[in-house]
Amino acid sequence: MAEPDLTHVDEVVERLGRSEDALIPLLQAIQARYRYLPEQALRRLCEIADITPAAVESVSTFYTQFRLRPAGRHTVRVCHGTACHVKGAPLVTDALCKHLGIEGDEDTDSEGVFTVERVACLGCCSLAPVMQIDDVTFGHLTTESITRSLDDFLELQKRRAKQRRRRPGTPREAEIRITLDSCCVARGTRDVKQAIDKALADLGIDAKVKPVSCVNMCHETPLVEIVTPDDGSHLYAQVRPDDVRAILGRHLHPGGVLAKARRTASTALEHLLTDDAWEPVTRYGLDMSTQRASSFWDPQVLLVTERAGRSDPLDLREYLETGGFEALRKCREDMSAEQVLGEIERSGLRGRGGAGFPTAEKWREVAEADSDVKYVVCNGDEGDPGAFMDRMILESYPYSVIEGIAAAAQTIGAGEAILYIRQEYPLAIPRVREAISHCEQEGLLGDLKMRVMEGAGAFVCGEETALLESIMGRRGNPRLRPPYPSRSGLWGRPTLVNNVETFALVPWILRNGADEFAKLGTEHSKGTKVFALAGKVNRNALIEVPMGITLRRVVHEVGGGIGEGKRFKAVQVGGPSGGCVPESLADTPVDYEALVHVGAMMGSGGLVVLDEDDCMVEIARYFLEFTQDQSCGKCTFCRVGTRLMLRMLERLCGGEGADGDLRELERLGHSIRDNSLCGLGKTAPNPVLSTLEHFRDEYEAHIRGRCPAKQCTALITYGINDNCIGCTRCAQDCPADAIVARPHEKHEIDTEECIRCGACRDVCPADAVEVE
Amino acid sequence: MPSIQIDNHQVEFKPGQTVLEVARGLGVNIPTLCHLPGKPARTSCMVCLVKVVGQEGLMPSCGTVCEDRMRVFTNTPEVLEARGNALELLLSDHLGDCDAPCTVACPAGLDIPQMLRYIGQGKLREAIEVIKTDIPLPAVLGRICSAPCEKACRRAAADEAVSIMQLKGYAAEADLTGGHRPYTPKPAADTGRSVAVVGAGPAGLSAAWHLRRAGHACTIFERRDQPGGMLRYALGEDRLPRRILHAEADCVRDMEVEFRFGVEVGKAVSLEELLGSFDAVFVGVGRLSEGSRPFGLDVRDGKVSVARDSLLTSRARVFAGGDVVRARRMTVRSVADGKAAAASIGLMLAGDNTDAPRRQWSCHMGRLGEQEMETFLNHANRVARIPGAAQPGELRDSLARSEARRCLRCDCRKKSSCKLRLHSAEYEASPRRFHGDRRTYTRIDGAGVVYEPTKCIKCGVCVRVAAEHKEPLGLTFVGRGFDVRVQVPFGEPLSKGLKTAARQCAAACPTGALAMRDEAS
């Protein structure tokens, strides 16, 4: 291998500093340059910075972002979050690797084009299964579509290279709103936007195309809203680039003679566009007043997402015009710190990161701490598989978060604020950075220094003490609490750590008053909670519901019920820290204590709905696989205990369970829960313990060699019944060549060869494939 | 001064002190592995858990800073179980042997690998000291032992077992015939207690030897006029030359054991009389004749009934061992019984009612994989076993040294100082409770230390010690989670990582993961 040019290392040290605190950004910068961390570069780093080889080695091998071997030109991140998992991510990964010829321990194809990584969660659960190639997200993958996605991506790269900058336009009357969040982009909004730009140019229509915040209805994207002064608002759902011309033609009028001529010319060969002629567009029309949509919207109360679908996330003017920074102004001018604390206290706001610690109490501890240096940290390291609320909030409402942080800093007397955002959110990071810089330019932040620190891929850094370690440039190892960060946090100073959603709620509370907030919710859980609703529900969406709403209403009304006529089985609440609430307990309200009472927890707000096809033992195994993979490895109970629990669950799913296993699983689970050092370990057994409590019969069935949901491949066999019409399609799709198919005769499955992937059943037109 | 309550004892503390520090100051025993006294706590091993009233779950005492009026409990059932769980979790991922399989198989528990190392180095004096810690008749056993150790020897899986029995005989005979006074250990200070031993066979001789070592006075009553029991009367000169038996019996006499030949207990003197003039009695009279019931002790299936661990008979203060309690004749077993009985007599005399454990707590790595065997062989003499032609007593020095070096040295270098072993024994932690992934044994040498990663508990003690000693490279954690490991940065060898702190790191390691290569056990 050629010696890499190391002058870049010197440059980044010059730019980012030589202290150990800067280690993670330094490594990120080095990796950005070389696409991995060449050993020579790391040795050079140790030479010229005040960082030891031990620190470099331990940090660079702790975070999954860092690569120590060369990578392909493009990185394919395949999501293995909960929603993706239940929707077939493992099969998609296998197909992807097979297509690229990647085998064994390798992760890069032989030509060095694509490197495939498995990631915990990309936070696009409504699009499951999902992958991200560089910054482009692809959703609803199938084993067939995956190759097409790779081709599309390479095509997009070429197009991007040619793309011109849009000319600045003249004042416009009409507005075309389109969402450009990660998940919407994945569903094709970028293509739709290009089509709109092109159509506007071709048709000579003068209208403003405005990227707006997430509209929450992930299942209906790409969404295009046309707002005209005289005609009101029209919302189109699931728009395809081909539809754009028709939609625009319906509402907007071309300007100028020349444009008219151009329009005529360019559409001469197309069919005439009129409301009557273009029938299909109505099919996509989404009338807000219809039954379906109102069941979606009515139960929701939008506080964090109050600007949903209306505002340009980065338009500071607009934010200011709609009450933005009013709360911060109040903090600075009208209210004393004590008054702000009192207001937050009266609102009953509790931490939205999961544990629900009273926010005012935390603020007060830091406010009262005796130190001339204090910090505010915004925890944006959302990493639960199945949760993407924080990403959406950061992408769509960066100013709300910034304002909340600034208000907190003002109240507690902090001079510096750090937003720790996970690097898997490539859109959120630049948006927040840009938003901060807009605020600074307008002088809105006063003396407060605010910066973004990119996480480097470690779920455990969502734990506040691990997060602080990470900010200080170390491995994300949690430490014992107490002392809590409010007393001893960053560099030993009092530090306020709150979650993104918590901060985002602060401006609303201060603007509208604590009483308005406290009106919503239950006795001890006030206000609203944002959830990522995903899984086997008809509407996968980002929702904001008042505390106290039952899970059943969320599933049936907001979520539109279970898809494909299946039976609602359980809701997984709180991701790997939470538990499964069975259908029989679905009337449990969204409330911190109530959820804990049924063995789950609020967590950071993932709601994954499970139906009769989901095996609860497999779900428990899946979560344990996740947490044990994300364990930092520091304390015995979590490092060794979660691995042992995983092995027990694997044996159960593999049909090797024995009597007594369940008791031992429970004992070990309790031991890990009670004795682990940090929240990750303490909550890791929850998915197992809650399913053991509510679905013990399924575990017992596994010990007897049966998987009731017919999911655990070691416990099921595929067969073909007499419905078979002899079409051979199953045999064509079988990846293992396990189907003996003579045309027009009943086919047979060789159970020895069969890998139980279910491809045959999906493709069979006659319902002839059976699972036993 | 602020104070806390530990197990209902009120105790004052200085600000910043941890619960562990205060508890230890109070003499409360709390186990630790990752703790480095006086250094910030790492809270990794979690075996120092205590209950702090008001805190959910348990707290690692090493990292819990005392606060005024804190109430702590260090020995509730919950605490003890949790510590045991932590140890069992660590053990599920701790691959290695404490004692080597040969030692475990030896009824007398002889530290065979240590003996072999000394023989391999030509240090025969040290070898005989190791041998005679457990076995007073090694030259005898060097000829006639059934050698269960060799059946267990790891080396047998690669080619043939190490010739342990003959090497032991070699070292012992060298000591007997070396022209100096044969080695006998120095007895402990006189305890003022006395024990009668009935029978001068292997069990009786061994019991007397070990009792004297512990400082108890000892008299052997033998109905015949010579020592040796069945060794003398059942084996021919060709199998066991009498000179060897005499020489080793003389060593027992050199330990100031009084022999009273021609005195048959039960006839010339009764058991009651012995119990009247001695503090305890050990019965080692050999196999019983049909239907006999020596001294009125309970007998079952033709053997005197004894408690399995203590060897106590149905009579108080009367112990028994050797063929009189065994169905199968096995000399080394009898010797082992003599040692075990001496130990439990010692405990009884000290007023301790617990049974002396027959077997030390030990964990085992089981069968070696092919690659693992290669790793061990790479550090051993790869030659084949000495040809069978070499007769007992005829091993020449160079051949003996070569043979001894065939030992794979699978015992742990830290077997007597490992804190994981110590605490596991104390908490009766089972190494087999959890079935974890079995890792592949590897070993890394350098800087005078041996690093066995599969014994590492990831406590980071060595990493911190190396950093404190300002090692330029030192050691570091690599990776995370279950696969986290400790190594020198950038994959450099140990010799570069530990230029100055190797000894300190090895000493601080709470397990056998990092040990001096030639650490004496």
Side-chain angles (χ1 to χ4, degrees):
Chain A
M1 203 189 340
E3 287 281 312
D5 171 16
L6 298 180
T7 51
H8 182 73
V9 178
D10 297 43
E11 282 163 28
V12 298
V13 170
E14 186 70 26
R15 179 154 55 86
L16 297 168
R18 24 185 303 141
S19 75
E20 197 173 335
D21 303 341
L23 178 52
I24 291 173
L26 283 168
L27 293 174
Q28 283 166 333
I30 292 170
Q31 178 153 307
R33 170 70 172 73
Y34 303 103
R35 302 195 54 75
Y36 76 111
L37 298 175
E39 192 181 304
Q40 297 97 316
L42 297 181
R43 285 178 185 268
R44 177 70 187 154
L45 178 64
C46 295
E47 276 167 36
I48 58 175
D50 301 326
I51 301 174
T52 63
V56 168
E57 182 88 353
S58 71
V59 169
S60 64
T61 58
F62 184 88
Y63 296 95
T64 41
Q65 179 189 11
F66 299 125
R67 293 181 56 82
L68 297 163
R69 51 182 172 173
R73 284 194 293 284
H74 305 293
T75 305
V76 184
R77 294 191 183 85
V78 188
C79 178
H80 281 251
T82 317
C84 292
H85 179 78
V86 298
K87 291 194 169 172
L91 291 170
V92 166
T93 316
D94 290 348
L96 177 67
C97 290
K98 202 172 164 190
H99 175 71
L100 293 172
I102 297 171
E103 290 174 345
D105 281 346
E106 294 167 19
D107 63 357
T108 303
D109 67 275
S110 55
E111 283 160 35
V113 180
F114 291 109
T115 291
V116 177
E117 290 175 0
R118 295 163 56 110
V119 294
C121 189
L122 289 169
C124 306
C125 308
S126 52
L127 306 175
V130 191
M131 70 176 178
Q132 209 176 53
I133 309 182
D134 294 346
D135 59 346
V136 184
T137 310
F138 294 86
H140 298 306
L141 300 172
T142 63
T143 46
E144 291 84 40
S145 73
I146 197 122
T147 52
R148 216 168 51 235
S149 305
L150 295 178
D151 295 341
D152 285 356
F153 173 79
L154 293 174
E155 188 58 35
L156 177 70
Q157 293 300 104
K158 284 184 205 156
R159 279 215 312 271
R160 274 182 177 179
K162 290 185 204 159
Q163 220 164 41
R164 290 164 290 137
R165 274 186 63 86
R166 201 184 63 184
R167 287 177 304 264
T170 46
R172 293 145 174 172
E173 291 177 275
E175 194 170 274
I176 301 166
R177 295 174 183 169
I178 182 160
T179 54
L180 283 174
D181 287 346
S182 303
C183 35
C184 304
V185 168
R187 288 177 68 114
T189 47
R190 210 193 297 270
D191 292 343
V192 172
K193 169 140 186 325
Q194 276 168 1
I196 292 171
D197 288 343
K198 182 167 186 296
L200 291 176
D202 286 351
L203 300 173
I205 298 173
D206 189 23
K208 179 184 177 188
V209 181
K210 177 179 175 183
V212 291
S213 49
C214 175
V215 287
N216 299 14
M217 292 181 288
C218 309
H219 56 291
E220 299 287 8
T221 56
L223 276 160
V224 175
E225 187 179 11
I226 315 262
V227 188
T228 57
D230 40 69
D231 197 19
S233 158
H234 298 268
L235 189 61
Y236 290 89
Q238 298 184 15
V239 177
R240 294 186 308 233
D242 297 350
D243 304 334
V244 163
R245 221 160 245 265
I247 296 170
L248 297 185
R250 193 179 186 195
H251 299 288
L252 305 174
H253 308 291
V257 180
L258 182 61
K260 206 171 260 176
R262 273 172 57 196
R263 179 190 167 209
T264 313
S266 66
T267 58
L269 296 174
E270 296 175 24
H271 42 265
L272 191 63
L273 301 175
T274 69
D275 289 30
D276 301 323
W278 199 64
E279 192 60 39
V281 78
T282 55
R283 198 179 68 216
Y284 298 112
L286 186 74
D287 187 338
M288 303 282 273
S289 66
T290 64
Q291 185 65 44
R292 192 164 163 237
S294 91
S295 74
F296 178 73
W297 287 110
D298 284 357
Q300 299 201 48
V301 178
L302 310 188
L303 311 186
V304 172
T305 60
E306 60 183 330
R307 294 175 174 83
R310 287 190 286 123
S311 64
D312 178 345
L314 287 171
D315 188 336
L316 182 55
R317 284 284 129 238
E318 189 177 1
Y319 184 72
L320 289 167
E321 282 161 14
T322 52
F325 283 97
E326 174 63 18
L328 181 60
R329 191 197 58 73
K330 277 188 178 175
C331 283
R332 291 205 172 127
E333 295 168 16
D334 303 348
M335 298 166 83
S336 67
E338 190 46 48
Q339 280 172 317
V340 177
L341 289 172
E343 194 72 5
I344 298 293
E345 187 162 16
R346 270 197 303 126
S347 76
L349 178 62
R350 294 169 65 177
R352 295 298 193 247
F357 191 81
T359 304
E361 210 175 304
K362 212 184 228 185
W363 286 28
R364 197 180 295 279
E365 278 167 25
V366 189
E368 289 170 358
D370 181 24
S371 172
D372 51 349
V373 178
K374 295 177 188 177
Y375 298 95
V376 177
V377 170
C378 173
N379 184 346
D381 196 49
E382 168 182 71
D384 288 21
F388 55 94
M389 301 73 54
D390 292 350
R391 173 182 61 73
M392 181 281 297
I393 294 169
L394 290 166
E395 285 178 358
S396 289
Y397 316 109
Y399 292 120
S400 300
V401 181
I402 290 169
E403 188 183 356
I405 294 170
Q410 173 73 25
T411 308
I412 64 163
E416 187 174 349
I418 298 157
L419 289 96
Y420 189 96
I421 304 176
R422 66 195 293 247
Q423 56 94 25
E424 289 89 339
Y425 290 167
L427 192 56
I429 292 168
R431 272 198 191 168
V432 172
R433 285 207 168 113
E434 195 178 335
I436 293 173
S437 117
H438 288 320
C439 292
E440 285 171 345
Q441 281 162 20
E442 296 295 322
L444 291 164
L445 299 181
D447 295 334
L448 178 66
K449 278 190 283 180
M450 194 181 286
R451 65 181 166 100
V452 172
M453 156 111 189
E454 277 179 56
F459 172 71
V460 69
C461 288
E463 200 279 343
E464 61 179 12
T465 60
L467 183 138
L468 299 179
E469 290 290 305
S470 187
I471 292 176
M472 293 186 284
R474 304 173 193 158
R475 289 165 70 86
N477 285 336
R479 62 158 176 76
L480 185 67
R481 296 183 308 183
Y484 289 90
S486 51
R487 278 174 65 176
S488 175
L490 283 178
W491 297 285
R493 304 294 191 153
T495 303
L496 172 71
V497 186
N498 274 150
N499 158 273
V500 168
E501 190 180 335
T502 314
F503 281 126
L505 280 166
V506 167
W508 194 95
I509 293 170
L510 294 178
R511 197 155 25 86
N512 297 283
D515 297 337
E516 281 301 302
F517 188 81
K519 266 186 202 163
L520 298 163
T522 62
E523 191 183 350
H524 297 295
S525 302
K526 300 294 186 191
T528 59
K529 177 77 190 89
V530 180
F531 285 106
L533 182 61
K536 303 295 181 58
V537 76
N538 274 320
R539 284 195 286 258
N540 279 214
L542 205 119
I543 62 170
E544 184 171 5
V545 289
M547 295 280 190
I549 189 173
T550 64
L551 292 173
R552 195 183 302 281
R553 280 191 73 197
V554 171
V555 171
H556 287 299
E557 295 178 30
V558 185
I562 309 293
E564 297 172 31
K566 299 281 185 180
R567 192 172 54 79
F568 169 33
K569 186 172 184 179
V571 197
Q572 211 287 338
V573 192
S577 309
C580 286
V581 181
E583 188 272 342
S584 60
L585 292 174
D587 291 318
T588 303
V590 169
D591 172 283
Y592 289 101
E593 281 72 27
L595 287 173
V596 169
H597 186 70
V598 295
M601 74 181 269
M602 191 78 79
S604 54
L607 283 183
V608 179
V609 180
L610 305 172
D611 70 15
E612 58 192 276
D613 287 342
D614 291 306
C615 168
M616 305 313 280
V617 184
E618 217 294 312
I619 293 288
R621 186 208 61 76
Y622 163 77
F623 279 113
L624 245 293
E625 183 178 35
F626 174 81
T627 30
Q628 76 88 28
D629 184 54
Q630 296 296 329
S631 166
C632 79
K634 179 172 169 176
C635 84
T636 302
F637 285 97
C638 181
R639 183 185 69 245
V640 188
T642 56
R643 170 61 72 100
L644 288 170
M645 275 185 100
L646 174 64
R647 290 292 180 255
M648 288 184 196
L649 291 164
E650 283 172 351
R651 284 197 290 270
L652 285 170
C653 291
E656 294 160 19
D659 288 333
D661 279 7
L662 303 188
R663 219 185 51 234
E664 191 64 358
L665 197 56
E666 243 163 353
R667 270 186 68 192
L668 182 55
H670 289 146
S671 188
I672 297 168
R673 184 190 63 191
D674 296 341
N675 303 317
S676 290
L677 183 65
C678 83
L680 186 147
K682 283 182 194 296
T683 58
N686 285 351
V688 181
L689 295 174
S690 78
T691 47
L692 262 173
E693 183 184 342
H694 300 305
F695 299 95
R696 198 173 189 98
D697 54 332
E698 278 194 49
Y699 280 86
E700 282 163 357
H702 280 74
I703 291 178
R704 293 193 302 273
R706 211 170 58 80
C707 173
K710 295 174 182 171
Q711 286 296 317
C712 294
T713 54
L715 302 176
I716 54 171
T717 49
Y718 277 77
I720 297 177
N721 66 22
D722 290 342
N723 289 347
C724 177
I725 52 172
C727 70
T728 75
R729 283 180 60 184
C730 56
Q732 291 167 39
D733 274 32
C734 177
D737 292 331
I739 302 181
V740 185
R742 284 188 206 85
H744 316 301
E745 285 179 33
K746 184 180 157 189
H747 306 329
E748 277 175 33
I749 296 178
D750 180 344
T751 49
E752 294 287 306
E753 296 291 320
C754 174
I755 57 168
R756 294 153 180 92
C757 67
C760 50
R761 190 168 51 163
D762 294 345
V763 77
C764 178
D767 272 344
V769 180
E770 286 179 340
V771 187
E772 282 307 322
Chain B
M1 241 225 349
S3 65
I4 63 170
Q5 220 181 55
I6 297 181
D7 301 332
N8 296 320
H9 295 282
Q10 202 71 28
V11 55
E12 295 185 339
F13 66 90
K14 291 189 221 81
Q17 268 194 307
T18 63
V19 169
L20 178 71
E21 286 164 349
V22 174
R24 287 195 168 165
L26 205 61
V28 173
N29 174 30
I30 295 176
T32 58
L33 294 172
C34 68
H35 177 63
L36 276 174
K39 305 287 182 230
R42 180 169 150 84
T43 56
S44 155
C45 72
M46 308 301 270
V47 302
C48 68
L49 292 170
V50 294
K51 178 70 194 168
V52 176
V53 176
Q55 291 277 3
E56 233 173 278
L58 302 174
M59 300 291 285
S61 59
C62 66
T64 304
V65 178
C66 293
E67 281 180 36
D68 197 19
R69 290 196 287 277
M70 199 181 239
R71 290 181 65 208
V72 176
F73 290 95
T74 69
N75 55 7
T76 66
E78 182 196 12
V79 165
L80 299 182
E81 190 197 331
R83 290 181 190 162
N85 283 341
L87 290 165
E88 282 171 340
L89 289 171
L90 289 172
L91 292 171
S92 76
D93 190 32
H94 181 76
L95 182 73
D97 290 327
C98 298
D99 291 324
C102 53
T103 301
V104 175
C106 175
L110 172 60
D111 188 352
I112 293 165
Q114 187 61 45
M115 169 190 86
L116 294 176
R117 276 191 291 282
Y118 284 137
I119 296 174
Q121 294 163 0
K123 297 178 178 169
L124 296 185
R125 170 74 183 184
E126 285 85 348
I128 195 67
E129 283 178 21
V130 169
I131 295 167
K132 288 206 165 173
T133 304
D134 299 298
I135 297 181
L137 307 173
V140 169
L141 286 171
R143 302 248 170 182
I144 60 142
C145 190
S146 51
C149 53
E150 293 187 25
K151 292 180 186 73
C153 175
R154 278 247 151 70
R155 179 80 194 230
D159 45 15
E160 279 183 276
V162 178
S163 193
I164 299 167
M165 182 185 81
Q166 292 197 30
L167 287 167
K168 177 178 62 186
Y170 156 76
E173 288 188 33
D175 184 54
L176 294 177
T177 59
H180 53 266
R181 201 166 150 240
Y183 167 79
T184 50
K186 193 172 176 303
D190 201 345
T191 61
R193 302 301 190 98
S194 62
V195 182
V197 171
V198 186
L205 291 172
S206 172
W209 169 281
H210 286 288
L211 286 163
R212 277 300 301 131
R213 279 192 69 198
H216 310 300
C218 188
T219 307
I220 298 183
F221 295 87
E222 168 59 51
R223 68 185 169 96
R224 307 198 208 221
D225 55 4
Q226 298 267 11
M230 75 86 198
L231 295 174
R232 173 174 303 275
Y233 302 103
L235 297 173
E237 174 74 20
D238 54 329
R239 281 220 56 203
L240 181 62
R242 292 295 176 268
R243 61 171 175 85
I244 287 177
L245 181 57
H246 282 153
E248 292 205 315
D250 285 348
C251 289
V252 177
R253 201 192 311 269
D254 285 349
M255 293 285 284
E256 296 170 24
V257 172
E258 187 186 343
F259 281 85
R260 301 199 31 201
F261 292 109
V263 181
E264 187 168 355
V265 178
K267 286 187 181 155
V269 58
S270 72
L271 184 63
E272 271 63 34
E273 284 170 309
L274 289 184
L275 284 170
S277 37
F278 293 92
D279 295 302
V281 176
F282 174 77
V283 178
V285 295
R287 180 164 293 187
L288 295 177
S289 53
E290 196 120 340
S292 72
R293 193 157 174 260
F295 326 123
L297 297 172
D298 283 0
V299 171
R300 251 183 92 188
D301 301 332
K303 298 168 310 213
V304 168
S305 311
V306 286
R308 211 173 67 104
D309 288 328
S310 67
L311 299 177
L312 182 68
T313 67
S314 53
R315 292 244 358 219
R317 296 195 286 135
V318 179
F319 297 77
D323 291 351
V324 74
V325 305
R326 307 263 166 212
R328 221 156 50 87
R329 178 168 287 175
M330 189 170 165
T331 309
V332 67
R333 177 105 251 162
S334 300
V335 170
D337 281 352
K339 175 186 165 192
S344 37
I345 290 169
L347 283 176
M348 184 199 73
L349 295 179
D352 189 339
N353 289 324
T354 54
D355 286 353
R358 283 309 289 272
R359 184 60 61 206
Q360 246 198 309
W361 188 98
S362 187
C363 62
H364 305 287
M365 68 190 296
R367 266 181 79 92
L368 298 186
E370 215 170 291
Q371 202 187 324
E372 294 174 321
M373 180 59 86
E374 266 310 297
T375 304
F376 277 107
L377 284 169
N378 284 338
H379 294 276
N381 185 356
R382 298 192 74 130
V383 299
R385 179 173 158 127
I386 42 162
Q391 290 299 307
E394 288 175 12
L395 263 178
R396 284 190 323 278
D397 292 354
S398 64
L399 208 54
R401 279 205 293 276
S402 165
E403 176 63 18
R405 287 197 205 117
R406 290 182 65 242
C407 173
L408 298 179
R409 214 232 192 277
C410 43
D411 63 323
C412 182
R413 283 170 185 76
K414 292 263 197 80
K415 61 191 168 197
S416 50
S417 60
C418 170
K419 291 173 81 180
L420 180 59
R421 184 182 197 185
L422 182 79
H423 299 320
S424 295
E426 186 185 347
Y427 284 81
E428 292 174 10
S430 162
R432 281 173 298 277
R433 174 170 164 206
F434 298 115
H435 307 283
D437 301 357
R438 189 187 183 284
R439 299 188 195 258
T440 301
Y441 174 87
T442 51
R443 110 174 218 181
I444 298 159
D445 286 60
V449 299
V450 178
Y451 170 37
E452 293 164 293
T454 60
K455 294 181 181 174
C456 175
I457 58 164
K458 285 85 176 178
C459 68
V461 160
C462 56
V463 175
R464 287 180 287 165
V465 170
E468 267 168 35
H469 281 78
K470 304 268 183 280
E471 285 281 5
L473 274 175
L475 296 167
T476 190
F477 283 111
V478 173
R480 73 169 183 219
F482 188 72
D483 296 320
V484 67
R485 59 196 184 279
V486 171
Q487 64 183 48
V488 181
F490 302 131
E492 294 281 4
L494 273 179
S495 55
K496 286 204 176 166
L498 299 178
K499 283 177 183 293
T500 57
R503 181 168 295 277
Q504 289 87 342
C505 286
C509 174
T511 74
L514 206 56
M516 298 309 291
R517 186 181 301 137
D518 300 315
E519 192 154 322
S521 52

